[in-house]
Amino acid sequence: MRIRDPIHGTIPVDDREKPVVDHPFYQRLRHVKQLGFGDLAFPGATHTRHAHSLGAMHVASRLFDAVCASADLSPEAKGRFRVAVRLAVLCHDIGHMPLSHASEAIAPPRASLDLPGWLADQGGGLASHEDFTAKILLDSSLGQVIRDQFAADSVPPEALVALITGAEPPRGVDFSDRGVDWTPLLRAIVSGELDADRMDYLLRDSFYTGVNYGHYDIDWIVQNLNAAVKDNRAYLALSRAAAFAFEDFLLSRYHMFISVYYHHTPVNFDQMLRRYYGESPREFSIPPDPERFLFCDDVALAHTLRSSSNPWARRIVSRQGYKLLAQFTERDEGYDLSSLVAALNQAGIDHFAVESRGVLSKYFEEGKDPSLFIEDVSTGRLTEVARYTPLYQRYSSAVRLSRLYVRPDQIDSAQSLLVEATGGRERA
Amino acid sequence: MRIRDPIHGTIPVDDREKPVVDHPFYQRLRHVKQLGFGDLAFPGATHTRHAHSLGAMHVASRLFDAVCASADLSPEAKGRFRVAVRLAVLCHDIGHMPLSHASEAIAPPRASLDLPGWLADQGGGLASHEDFTAKILLDSSLGQVIRDQFAADSVPPEALVALITGAEPPRGVDFSDRGVDWTPLLRAIVSGELDADRMDYLLRDSFYTGVNYGHYDIDWIVQNLNAAVKDNRAYLALSRAAAFAFEDFLLSRYHMFISVYYHHTPVNFDQMLRRYYGESPREFSIPPDPERFLFCDDVALAHTLRSSSNPWARRIVSRQGYKLLAQFTERDEGYDLSSLVAALNQAGIDHFAVESRGVLSKYFEEGKDPSLFIEDVSTGRLTEVARYTPLYQRYSSAVRLSRLYVRPDQIDSAQSLLVEATGGRERA
Amino acid sequence: MRIRDPIHGTIPVDDREKPVVDHPFYQRLRHVKQLGFGDLAFPGATHTRHAHSLGAMHVASRLFDAVCASADLSPEAKGRFRVAVRLAVLCHDIGHMPLSHASEAIAPPRASLDLPGWLADQGGGLASHEDFTAKILLDSSLGQVIRDQFAADSVPPEALVALITGAEPPRGVDFSDRGVDWTPLLRAIVSGELDADRMDYLLRDSFYTGVNYGHYDIDWIVQNLNAAVKDNRAYLALSRAAAFAFEDFLLSRYHMFISVYYHHTPVNFDQMLRRYYGESPREFSIPPDPERFLFCDDVALAHTLRSSSNPWARRIVSRQGYKLLAQFTERDEGYDLSSLVAALNQAGIDHFAVESRGVLSKYFEEGKDPSLFIEDVSTGRLTEVARYTPLYQRYSSAVRLSRLYVRPDQIDSAQSLLVEATGGRERA
Amino acid sequence: MRIRDPIHGTIPVDDREKPVVDHPFYQRLRHVKQLGFGDLAFPGATHTRHAHSLGAMHVASRLFDAVCASADLSPEAKGRFRVAVRLAVLCHDIGHMPLSHASEAIAPPRASLDLPGWLADQGGGLASHEDFTAKILLDSSLGQVIRDQFAADSVPPEALVALITGAEPPRGVDFSDRGVDWTPLLRAIVSGELDADRMDYLLRDSFYTGVNYGHYDIDWIVQNLNAAVKDNRAYLALSRAAAFAFEDFLLSRYHMFISVYYHHTPVNFDQMLRRYYGESPREFSIPPDPERFLFCDDVALAHTLRSSSNPWARRIVSRQGYKLLAQFTERDEGYDLSSLVAALNQAGIDHFAVESRGVLSKYFEEGKDPSLFIEDVSTGRLTEVARYTPLYQRYSSAVRLSRLYVRPDQIDSAQSLLVEATGGRERA
């Protein structure tokens, strides 16, 4: 099967993968938009997790094949590892809830998913989309299809879940070959600083929004990837000739956060959806049971919102958000969120304040296995990416954007108040 | 307001148009996919009539501005006509039914829309999406908004409906200036051989599907458009220097029909949806009343299909179409649809046959006002496009593709039967 | 070696090909612009035969690999044929004269090249760029490099010349495997209706000129190519699913001819260059000896023109062409070239008339081996492309554009005369 | 006149500008490649200063028009300033020497250009390309054309030279309107942190090399530009909503320096050319006289090099550069240029070392007028860009790349020596 894709041209899907792609759990992603409410700001951005995951799988193959071209790996391991990274990336998003991230606030407790012991120690609280992904892979009709199709490769669902979540898999599931453990490298392709997921979504979100920050030099990066073995573990390593391409990738992501992912319109509707969930908690829920989860998607949420009489739901359905009063970052002088909020409160102006704050890299942590090395191919020297590029420290840390939104009919008085509070506007 | 669009960059929407764009009837188009079931074949093609109509409005401005640059037109008329073409194109699709064309089979009778007398003589039968567009513009809360916002320009909803449908408007609504009737030209921009609608959708559908047949030289075409006055009527005229660009545009459209619009997968699901509508006629309907039509969109249809126990509905929901057995055109030797159907019937193979047949140009008719002239700017000579370009005759006529689909479990025996019937396959 | 290319991304060149690419005869193409005087009309189009030939080689690999994926071919033959098509395409343009086609008028007699007997019967007259290509491959330091590098593959220069020219090679040079002669297929990739040369130059010329007629669906075409064996000869065959993509390719080429290759500005300068060559025949010549041919390129011609006192040379150097008075095709009524010329003559207006006429397909000839078949993959039926697609007949025949240019100081009176002769201009 | 351009689509040139574009001094730029030896590394990058300057002029209009849309400026000033920035940008590169920067080493003494007094205090030394630009504008047949065409606008060549060089123009030449001096803003468009020159060349060089680092969000930047008046001087100001787009632009430039402008191949040939100029100083020279400068371009240099017997010239002509032994930045541990050079010297290995070092911003200097402000459009607050964006400090400072090249026949022993010196290579 060959699938046409506007980002990658043609995406080949092999005969054993086809039943996975055709399976209702994968097809469900046709009804989960990649950017949630993002299309309210960028009308072109109606793309789904379905297309993204196919694209990410395709990128994963490119990364893996590039790394393998020069790696010391048995043909059997090569085949098996390739199957595993492709499947893991293909399925990494199947647990996403309606509108992608917007519904995570009403996820059921993690405990209700009844995940196996080897995954259970990853904290309590609400189930994340990764927990749902794990649940579906391990305990649904899709899991069974994978078990059947890929038994010969020794790629059970547990192996995919391990690659996706980073958890230590149960005994008997491993990625070793010729005495080297390839888990860090495979994991880095599935989920890491320079993973197939990010590599696809930057290109894709950029393409569909019409915002060109997501471009980066995918060809050059792919051509410069290697496997680096250290203490019998294989890691993803980028030649230093492509270090600047990685920096550019890093910045692309940072700029996509600021301009797209944290755009004030989706943030606005997201906040209203949270208020709806808070005020009318019984109207829509995320079922922990996989087979019921199957139709828990954007269509179901849209239908529920239309039927609701909750005022936030009505605002969402009629697309009448609160009005943006102000937005600022730490660079902008003259803005103080708490005093602005106090002033609005005092003036009796109905509003909400949102701080969008994203840690750009969840992968960098002192003492942990790094997910990417920079390699000097002449000398073989490896440097953790976080130590090599000065941009990393700055741009992998955090993005923070503060916003104030007010009820539409109060925008004029709110604006007068703002001008007063921030020192007035000098320009004509 | 400026809207980001991946095709046109930034689309400006002026302050008086904003209430139209923000109105629920326009926002409804966010839930009507441009290509209906097209995203089943092209997963990237999830774009909507919402984004398309904004894009088409933008193209309409470009066409109009290019034509006006050199035209003899009073400033008032220029302003007024510009408002009219932009609004007409913006609204031309608001009457589209769920999944665009797929639901037209269950449209209510045209008579039930109770359209005004000056539109009423356009035939009986089922209401078309254009009838719904007219209804909403003339007789809904959106119509009122337009009436209020554009009263000063003398651009009432009736004027827009006249441009969209081609009907003769009631007295008092006209597009004359300095003794010349500009209706043919404005109508040509809204709906004609080289209209803003087609010019946007070719680029957009091409972009979103990843199929590159929809490219054509929009800049060159725009730069070469003029107004040509003949018998006191202004027509759209293209300099002969751009005649080949028009041919390319014509072919682009032809190739998009073959490769995208008539792709065998959406044709398959379309057919199944028709069977569902036929078998379970009460489950989903298109209400003639505008305010009830407001939520009659892809979401509503998806929700209904999910709730249905009709086997075709279940097939659609689970994306298990019939299997394509054969497809052919008149060029392909050895295929005869009726004898193949007879053979399948005799063998007891459950199937359906579909002939996709599209008249590529509905605008060309002997004796009618042509919607486009080719102009020799040196001599001023005008030639109807249908007489100038030999491609026109061939490619404006018809596309015809025949397909046979069979029940998935019978595909093997059907294929054997096909090989036999068509003279067998020699290749290994 | 990996070469960055704006069309294809990265072009790999293997270690044995590198000495060919690095050889002065190949590097010479850096100084032969692909479009000759084309950059006078399209300032961006400064690209060279050097980049084009690398790109074409890359396309040739894609075509060959796609065909081979499913072909019945021994691994040795696969390797050898691949080497041959890549080299043949890489070198197919090394005999191009300054400004590509513009200098062919002053080529030396074919006989002076002293080509071997098996090539000698291809007609007398002036040497073509293909003759120079053959000469350089067979009888220069580059030929020796190829002989040395590719001896092990049995790919001597003679084999490349046979693929490039279509001539029957001397005994011992053939492309047979398992009883099948692959010459027609390899030849079709090097030079045929759908060859790597055309496939690259359409994309490249389109990209560099900024004219988008050259786009076509290369991915789809490549995916649908097969080898079809008939009477023990292997031919290039395109699945009928891609027949419309081929039509689009055909039209692309037609439109590039009209809008770029036969643009009135390069045609103008080309004509002036011919006049210069005619009036000052000793100033610049094309040496038949390869080693002297090495520096016979655009730089040498530019230098010569600058040193010349011939008035046409001075016009070219100072870019002061004649002025375009009129251009027309057979579709344009009211123009008659000979009577216009007569009128100009009578009025004493200095001018020249040029008819640009191109046979779009030199490959189609009754009774000859077709270079492309359309294949019905279900039934295995093969149809010559010329019989399958109706566009072929029309668009493979000829393009004809007539132009009249006059001396700049006489343009006003010439225009008055034209208006009179063609029936006047009605428009304001 | 409308010029097709692959970057900007169509570039309009008005009737009074046409004689400037058609003038031999402007046409000369067709023979000055934008990237000098850059096409040796990127074969597609054969583009010239001719196309770039047209593109930059086009960008200048976009910048100016965007700024003016909301500015308080009389219609006369608007028209006059527009003429001035377009012309200044169009002509800013006409003084470029062969291969752009590579020949600046052999420029004649600045004094020999005999520039007028108001320009004369800008330092002695060799003439820069800006000095040549000034000379040609002030004292050549092109200067006269400009004087004639634009007398009515009061845009004499002196005004253009002032905008290009930043020098204080002679009395009577100014850009004031309604009591505000617009010089800083106009100067910023012609030459500043975010000028039309950089904005075009990043896109263009990126396009032609096939390296995609040069993309940035031109539309968003243009839409967010304003004029900010401070102490009766108008400055270029970017809304803070586009501050990240500016950062992206900054990084784009940084990455283009590393990957393209300082690519090791052009740096190699550049160095060889300098050696040739040093060893054979009389063979090629840059004449200070404009009319003789007219044919001092890439063609003339290529011709001279071909005629030379100097070994560096022969290397350049036959494209046989020295071999790259090592390249590194300050980030790369284990490399010390001086000790490597010492080791090569000791081993008798013929080599050269090059440090490519570029100050990315020549505009930022404490106490000087900033060429760009970031503006909070709500409050009117202006912040110098250097203080607003933390990236600025880092990326406007400097790029430094160190390289060592050795004679080709000594590359093997040089490599052994390098491995030893840098601590060896551990990888297989």
Side-chain angles (χ1 to χ4, degrees), chain A residues 247 331 335 377 388 425, chain D residues 247 331-332 376-377 388 425:
Chain A
E247 284 186 4
R331 294 189 205 173
Y335 291 93
V377 284
Y388 191 85
R425 178 168 163 64
Chain D
E247 284 187 2
R331 294 189 205 173
D332 295 301
D376 180 341
V377 284
Y388 191 85
R425 180 168 162 63

Side-chain angles (χ1 to χ4, degrees), chain B residues 117-274:
Chain B
W118 59 277
L119 278 172
D121 54 340
Q122 299 197 329
L126 300 187
S128 69
H129 73 265
E130 269 191 6
D131 294 325
F132 269 99
T133 296
K135 179 68 180 174
I136 294 167
L137 284 174
L138 296 172
D139 195 14
S140 80
S141 48
L142 174 61
Q144 197 51 51
V145 165
I146 292 172
R147 234 174 264 284
D148 295 347
Q149 293 282 326
F150 300 96
D153 304 84
S154 310
V155 179
E158 285 74 13
L160 308 181
V161 172
L163 290 179
I164 293 168
T165 61
E168 188 74 23
R171 277 179 69 101
V173 175
D174 73 80
F175 295 104
S176 293
D177 184 57
R178 297 178 176 170
V180 173
D181 180 5
W182 284 70
T183 306
L185 187 145
L186 300 182
R187 165 76 177 148
I189 292 177
V190 176
S191 188
E193 211 49 79
L194 190 65
D195 64 26
D197 180 27
R198 291 178 175 186
M199 289 180 81
D200 182 80
Y201 78 59
L202 286 182
L203 294 177
R204 191 169 300 273
D205 297 341
S206 190
F207 179 88
Y208 279 86
T209 53
V211 156
N212 67 358
Y213 302 108
H215 295 298
Y216 61 91
D217 197 348
I218 184 170
D219 289 346
W220 189 246
I221 286 176
V222 167
Q223 287 164 33
N224 282 283
L225 281 177
N226 303 304
V229 176
K230 210 177 147 175
D231 305 332
N232 294 325
R233 292 166 66 79
Y235 294 93
L236 195 61
L238 187 68
S239 303
R240 66 189 167 92
F244 59 89
F246 172 72
E247 284 186 2
D248 188 50
F249 171 84
L250 216 56
L251 260 285
S252 283
R253 206 156 149 266
Y254 170 73
H255 284 136
M256 284 299 282
F257 265 87
I258 293 182
S259 59
V260 174
Y261 307 143
Y262 289 165
H263 186 279
H264 67 83
T265 301
V267 164
N268 189 351
F269 278 75
D270 221 90
Q271 190 63 20
M272 298 198 297
L273 184 66
R274 280 166 205 273

Side-chain angles (χ1 to χ4, degrees), chain A residues 70 210-213 215-218 220 226-229 240-241 243-245 247-249 251-252 254-255 258-259 325-329 331-335 374-381 383 388-391 394-395 418-419 422-427, chain D residues 70 210-213 215-218 220 226-229 240-241 243-245 247-249 251-252 254-255 258-259 325-329 331-335 374-381 383 388-391 394-395 418-419 422-427:
Chain A
S70 60
V211 157
N212 67 358
Y213 300 110
H215 295 299
Y216 61 91
D217 197 348
I218 186 169
W220 189 246
N226 302 303
V229 176
R240 67 188 168 90
F244 59 89
E247 284 186 4
D248 188 50
F249 171 83
L251 259 286
S252 282
Y254 170 74
H255 285 136
I258 294 183
S259 60
L325 175 65
Q327 62 181 333
F328 44 92
T329 68
R331 294 189 205 173
D332 296 301
E333 292 173 52
Y335 291 93
I374 301 296
E375 179 179 22
D376 180 342
V377 284
S378 313
T379 64
R381 207 168 262 127
T383 313
Y388 191 85
T389 168
L391 268 177
R394 171 154 185 84
Y395 289 98
L418 176 75
V419 168
T422 54
R425 178 168 163 64
E426 298 147 20
R427 237 165 121 246
Chain D
S70 60
V211 156
N212 66 358
Y213 301 109
H215 294 299
Y216 60 91
D217 196 347
I218 186 170
W220 189 246
N226 302 305
V229 176
R240 67 187 168 91
F244 59 88
E247 284 187 2
D248 189 49
F249 172 83
L251 259 286
S252 282
Y254 170 74
H255 284 135
I258 293 183
S259 59
L325 175 64
Q327 61 180 334
F328 44 91
T329 68
R331 294 189 205 173
D332 295 301
E333 290 173 53
Y335 291 94
I374 300 296
E375 179 180 22
D376 180 341
V377 284
S378 312
T379 64
R381 208 168 262 128
T383 312
Y388 191 85
T389 168
L391 269 176
R394 172 154 184 82
Y395 290 98
L418 176 74
V419 168
T422 55
R425 180 168 162 63
E426 299 148 19
R427 239 164 120 246

Side-chain angles (χ1 to χ4, degrees), chain C residues 53-355:
Chain C
S53 297
L54 283 164
M57 174 183 74
H58 187 65
V59 172
S61 298
R62 291 189 61 189
L63 300 179
F64 183 76
D65 293 349
V67 163
C68 279
S70 60
D72 177 30
L73 206 49
S74 70
E76 300 70 39
K78 219 173 256 198
R80 202 185 136 227
F81 293 177
R82 195 173 196 273
V83 161
V85 283
R86 279 178 65 85
L87 278 178
V89 173
L90 180 69
C91 295
H92 80 287
D93 269 356
I94 54 173
H96 261 292
M97 299 169 221
L99 296 176
S100 291
H101 293 284
S103 298
E104 298 191 340
I106 55 159
R110 191 172 187 278
S112 68
L113 264 64
D114 201 17
L115 291 166
W118 58 278
L119 277 171
D121 53 342
Q122 298 198 329
L126 301 187
S128 68
H129 73 264
E130 269 190 6
D131 293 326
F132 270 98
T133 296
K135 179 68 180 173
I136 294 167
L137 284 174
L138 296 173
D139 193 15
S140 80
S141 48
L142 174 62
Q144 197 50 52
V145 165
I146 293 171
R147 235 175 263 283
D148 295 346
Q149 294 281 325
F150 300 95
D153 305 86
S154 311
V155 180
E158 285 74 14
L160 308 180
V161 172
L163 290 179
I164 293 169
T165 61
E168 188 74 24
R171 278 179 70 101
V173 175
D174 73 81
F175 295 104
S176 293
D177 184 56
R178 298 178 175 170
V180 173
D181 180 4
W182 283 70
T183 306
L185 186 146
L186 301 182
R187 165 77 177 149
I189 292 177
V190 177
S191 188
E193 211 49 79
L194 189 65
D195 64 25
D197 180 27
R198 292 178 174 185
M199 288 180 83
D200 182 80
Y201 78 60
L202 286 182
L203 295 177
R204 191 168 301 271
D205 297 341
S206 190
F207 179 88
Y208 278 86
T209 53
V211 156
N212 66 358
Y213 301 109
H215 295 299
Y216 60 92
D217 197 349
I218 185 170
D219 289 346
W220 190 246
I221 287 176
V222 166
Q223 286 164 34
N224 282 283
L225 282 177
N226 302 303
V229 176
K230 211 178 144 173
D231 305 332
N232 295 325
R233 293 166 66 78
Y235 295 92
L236 194 62
L238 188 68
S239 303
R240 67 187 167 94
F244 59 88
F246 173 71
E247 284 187 3
D248 189 50
F249 171 84
L250 215 56
L251 259 286
S252 283
R253 204 154 151 267
Y254 170 73
H255 284 136
M256 284 299 281
F257 265 87
I258 293 184
S259 59
V260 174
Y261 307 142
Y262 287 166
H263 186 279
H264 66 83
T265 301
V267 165
N268 190 351
F269 278 75
D270 221 90
Q271 190 64 18
M272 297 198 298
L273 184 65
R274 281 166 203 274
R275 305 226 152 189
Y276 161 69
Y277 284 149
E279 293 182 7
S280 303
R282 279 156 213 278
E283 293 188 5
F284 190 79
S285 62
I286 313 287
D289 172 55
E291 307 301 326
R292 284 180 54 223
F293 184 76
L294 199 52
F295 288 104
C296 178
D297 58 14
D298 294 5
V299 168
L301 176 56
H303 184 77
T304 302
L305 288 169
R306 286 176 184 190
S307 317
S308 174
S309 57
N310 174 286
W312 296 110
R314 303 208 68 74
R315 278 201 175 275
I316 293 170
V317 170
S318 62
R319 273 157 199 91
Q320 306 191 325
Y322 266 34
K323 293 280 173 195
L324 179 68
L325 175 65
Q327 62 181 331
F328 44 91
T329 68
E330 65 280 11
R331 296 189 204 172
D332 295 300
E333 293 173 50
Y335 291 93
D336 178 62
L337 187 59
S338 54
S339 64
L340 285 172
V341 165
L344 289 168
N345 279 333
Q346 197 179 356
I349 291 172
D350 200 358
H351 67 277
F352 50 76
V354 192
E355 287 224 310

Side-chain angles (χ1 to χ4, degrees), chain B residues 212-213 216-217 240 244 247 255 327 331-332 335 375-379 381 388 395 424-425 427, chain C residues 212-213 216-217 240 244 247 255 327 331-332 335 375-379 388 391 395 422 424-425 427:
Chain B
N212 67 358
Y213 302 108
Y216 61 91
D217 197 348
R240 66 189 167 92
F244 59 89
E247 284 186 2
H255 284 136
Q327 61 181 334
R331 295 190 205 171
D332 296 301
Y335 291 94
E375 179 179 22
D376 180 340
V377 284
S378 312
T379 63
R381 207 169 263 126
Y388 191 85
Y395 289 98
R425 180 168 162 63
R427 238 166 121 247
Chain C
N212 66 358
Y213 301 109
Y216 60 92
D217 197 349
R240 67 187 167 94
F244 59 88
E247 284 187 3
H255 284 136
Q327 62 181 331
R331 296 189 204 172
D332 295 300
Y335 291 93
E375 178 180 22
D376 179 341
V377 284
S378 313
T379 64
Y388 190 85
L391 268 176
Y395 289 99
T422 54
R425 178 167 163 65
R427 234 166 123 248

Side-chain angles (χ1 to χ4, degrees), chain A residues 391-411:
Chain A
L391 268 177
Y392 190 89
Q393 266 111 347
R394 171 154 185 84
Y395 289 98
S396 65
S397 55
V399 175
R400 201 183 65 190
L401 287 168
S402 305
R403 267 84 169 235
L404 278 167
Y405 299 88
V406 301
R407 221 177 55 211
D409 61 301
Q410 296 177 304
I411 186 71

